[in-house]
Amino acid sequence: MQWLKKINIQTRIILLVIIPLLATIALSVDKLNQALNEQSRMKDLDVILNYLNVTSPFINNLSKETFFSRLYIDSRKDKVTFYQNKMLSARSGAQEKQAAYATFLQQHQAELVNFPVLKNRINEVQKLIDRLPFIRQVADKKQHMSKDYKEQVGKVIHTIYDMELVSKRLVTSLNEISVIATQNEQLSLMSSAYYNLIEMSADSSILNGYIFSAVNTQMHPWTYAQIFSTSTKKEKYNQLFLSFAPESFKHKYNQILGNKDYQVAEKTALLARSNVDATLFKPLDIKGVDWDKVTESVALQYENILQVL
């Protein structure tokens, strides 16, 4: 501080006032930058959460359409019109959510560029979504497979597999939200729980569709393998959900577990993957269970909880 003694009194007073003032300004600028960075980060998170809000209903409705498409394709003659109407109704809901998803992406292109991994996932999904009109035409023809649109799609269409693939890729895009949300511990846990619940919901729909096929046709070894593997994945996501979910989420989820139709669906799934030697190459006997009613009820349970959360 020797340099200060060489300065006249007036200048010294000015410096003694200015130096703290400059320090205060510098600190304020730093705080302002921190606040602006935090504001920018919150805006980014807001976009991500809004992506979740448009993607989740799309997944649920597309899973429902896939489920009823399988039921329509595998339906007996006396049930064709019934399941066709169910499929078309579910498709209408899926197309509505698909349009909302497309609108969101169009309106938020600039913000989504800030998340390159998520943006790449979205680009992959959009290519698959572009195939849906052709996949739906194959479903309308009551076909599990078709080469008719190979030129447009670039491959043979496997109706149910290709519809499920769109849902799976949409779910995978949501997994990126869990990664992005790691900057906020509570948000990270909640988004991870939500992601695993969506996986459970999608696998539940797939599983119930395979069981329908086994009931209305026969338990083919491939069908049995899919029932077993999908049940295993569903249980894995169940455990992951419980490990991430806050108590408020678990409370809502327990309402599903206590639902009578959900319990019937779980018992039927267990029956479907048990005693394989006695069930192969025969229609699966589900002991008089109204599988249409049960599966619709279970799907509604998942849909309701995802909306509430």
Side-chain angles (χ1 to χ4, degrees):
M1 297 292 287
Q2 293 299 318
W3 60 273
L4 194 57
K5 295 178 181 178
K6 299 177 182 178
I7 302 174
N8 64 48
I9 296 296
Q10 186 177 7
T11 305
R12 197 182 304 175
I13 292 172
I14 293 172
L15 287 174
L16 289 172
V17 171
I18 288 176
I19 289 173
L21 180 61
L22 290 174
T24 302
I25 292 172
L27 184 62
S28 298
V29 169
D30 183 57
K31 292 290 185 182
L32 178 59
N33 285 333
Q34 290 181 23
L36 290 173
N37 288 335
E38 182 66 20
Q39 184 182 32
S40 176
R41 188 173 69 173
M42 293 306 294
K43 284 183 178 179
D44 285 343
L45 286 176
D46 193 45
V47 171
I48 292 303
L49 293 176
N50 285 333
Y51 176 76
L52 173 66
N53 288 336
V54 298
T55 306
S56 176
F58 184 21
I59 294 169
N60 290 336
N61 282 269
L62 184 58
S63 295
K64 189 183 296 184
E65 181 190 357
T66 305
F67 175 75
F68 283 114
S69 296
R70 180 193 296 278
L71 268 56
Y72 169 62
I73 293 170
D74 290 338
S75 60
R76 298 186 298 262
K77 289 183 179 180
D78 60 327
K79 285 281 192 175
V80 168
T81 302
F82 175 78
Y83 285 122
Q84 183 182 41
N85 290 336
K86 289 280 189 181
M87 178 186 71
L88 294 176
S89 176
R91 180 182 297 173
S92 177
Q95 288 174 322
E96 179 185 335
K97 302 306 180 185
Q98 180 181 333
Y101 178 82
T103 299
F104 175 86
L105 296 183
Q106 186 176 18
Q107 292 175 345
H108 297 278
Q109 289 183 45
E111 296 98 322
L112 290 169
V113 170
N114 296 327
F115 307 98
V117 177
L118 175 59
K119 190 67 171 67
N120 287 337
R121 299 286 191 198
I122 290 171
N123 290 340
E124 292 172 6
V125 170
Q126 286 182 298
K127 292 176 183 177
L128 298 177
I129 290 173
D130 290 341
R131 297 176 179 176
L132 282 175
F134 304 105
I135 298 170
R136 285 165 172 152
Q137 289 182 56
V138 178
D140 288 339
K141 296 176 182 177
K142 215 171 181 290
Q143 295 175 340
H144 273 294
M145 185 186 76
S146 176
K147 299 178 182 179
D148 292 349
Y149 306 100
K150 195 171 181 179
E151 184 177 339
Q152 296 91 328
V153 175
K155 62 183 285 294
V156 175
I157 289 177
H158 296 269
T159 314
I160 304 304
Y161 171 83
D162 287 332
M163 293 181 80
E164 287 176 354
L165 186 61
V166 180
S167 294
K168 287 176 182 177
R169 292 293 180 269
L170 285 165
V171 172
T172 301
S173 75
L174 293 185
N175 189 39
E176 292 304 316
I177 295 177
S178 300
V179 177
I180 293 166
T182 52
Q183 56 193 288
N184 182 306
E185 183 178 357
Q186 184 178 10
L187 181 59
S188 177
L189 290 173
M190 292 174 69
S191 61
S192 295
Y194 195 84
Y195 165 77
N196 283 290
L197 186 60
I198 289 174
E199 286 277 23
M200 260 195 290
S201 174
D203 280 337
S204 173
S205 178
I206 293 169
L207 173 62
N208 294 341
Y210 285 129
I211 292 174
F212 177 90
S213 293
V215 170
N216 286 274
T217 55
Q218 65 173 359
M219 180 66 84
H220 189 275
W222 184 86
T223 306
Y224 175 82
Q226 296 305 310
I227 289 173
F228 193 90
S229 65
T230 308
S231 296
T232 303
K233 285 192 297 179
K234 181 170 168 285
E235 179 55 28
K236 179 189 76 173
Y237 292 125
N238 174 59
Q239 294 301 320
L240 287 170
F241 168 79
L242 293 174
S243 68
F244 290 119
E247 289 303 316
S248 58
F249 279 27
K250 291 178 183 177
H251 175 71
K252 295 292 184 183
Y253 182 57
N254 285 336
Q255 294 176 9
I256 290 183
L257 299 182
N259 178 267
K260 183 179 178 181
D261 288 326
Y262 179 88
Q263 293 173 356
V264 170
E266 289 293 292
K267 290 178 182 177
T268 305
L270 177 60
L271 174 68
R273 61 183 186 270
S274 303
N275 197 15
V276 59
D277 292 335
T279 57
L280 281 180
F281 303 110
K282 291 185 283 188
L284 178 65
D285 181 6
I286 56 175
K287 313 300 182 186
V289 171
D290 186 345
W291 195 236
D292 291 348
K293 171 183 173 296
V294 167
T295 52
E296 285 199 57
S297 175
V298 170
L300 184 60
Q301 294 293 319
Y302 276 113
E303 185 177 339
N304 288 341
I305 190 174
L306 286 167
Q307 288 178 349
V308 170
L309 300 183

